[in-house]
Amino acid sequence: VEPVESGGGLVQAGGSLRVSCKASRAITSFFNGNNWGWFRQPPGKQRELVASITNARSTNYADSVKGRFTISRDSARKMVYLEMNSLKPEDTAVYYCNTLEQTLNWGQGTQVTVSS
């Protein structure tokens, strides 16, 4: 089982994007029972956690995105979203979702490119 990410693209600095993660192949109890995270891997760098949401919808953000990104989840659809505003060139990366503990296989990710 691996998530399917979508919604990336090319955007100018200061713009917005919403990326989505579909975990439809996960059983509902697995989705609801886990904390989920959005991760990103910039070119030539390690993958890093940028946002997380618990099954109680408590959220946490990396300092670099705090105040600009918002993570949310839809249990009925087994979807996790990341709303990204005021994008910066340094946000350029492939974005992935997974359980916070990274228990699923990694998906293909979705490319986000922010031009200056």
Side-chain angles (χ1 to χ4, degrees), residues 3-41:
V4 178
E5 299 92 352
S6 63
L10 174 63
V11 64
Q12 287 189 329
S16 299
L17 276 176
R18 187 177 82 156
V19 290
S20 302
C21 168
K22 189 171 186 178
S24 59
R25 292 181 63 192
I27 60 175
T28 300
S29 59
F30 177 88
F31 182 89
N32 290 340
N34 272 277
N35 305 321
W36 290 82
W38 275 99
F39 303 78
R40 70 184 180 188
Q41 187 166 17

Side-chain angles (χ1 to χ4, degrees), residues 79-100:
M79 299 282 292
V80 186
Y81 303 100
L82 186 68
E83 184 77 33
M84 303 181 290
N85 297 312
S86 302
L87 282 161
K88 304 176 180 180
E90 52 264 44
D91 295 318
T92 294
V94 180
Y95 283 72
Y96 303 87
C97 76
N98 207 322
T99 63
L100 192 56

Side-chain angles (χ1 to χ4, degrees), residues 39-99:
F39 303 78
R40 70 184 180 188
Q41 187 166 17
K45 295 185 179 180
Q46 300 271 23
R47 185 152 41 204
E48 61 181 358
L49 175 67
V50 296
S52 63
I53 185 166
T54 70
N55 54 7
R57 289 179 166 75
S58 175
T59 58
N60 200 26
Y61 299 92
D63 287 344
S64 59
V65 307
K66 202 169 291 184
R68 301 187 296 120
F69 289 14
T70 303
I71 188 172
S72 60
R73 60 191 288 167
D74 183 333
S75 296
R77 293 181 172 83
K78 291 182 281 187
M79 299 282 292
V80 186
Y81 303 100
L82 186 68
E83 184 77 33
M84 303 181 290
N85 297 312
S86 302
L87 282 161
K88 304 176 180 180
E90 52 264 44
D91 295 318
T92 294
V94 180
Y95 283 72
Y96 303 87
C97 76
N98 207 322
T99 63

Side-chain angles (χ1 to χ4, degrees), residues 100-111:
L100 192 56
E101 293 76 22
Q102 303 174 44
T103 54
L104 297 178
N105 293 328
W106 291 100
Q108 294 295 310
T110 187
Q111 175 71 48

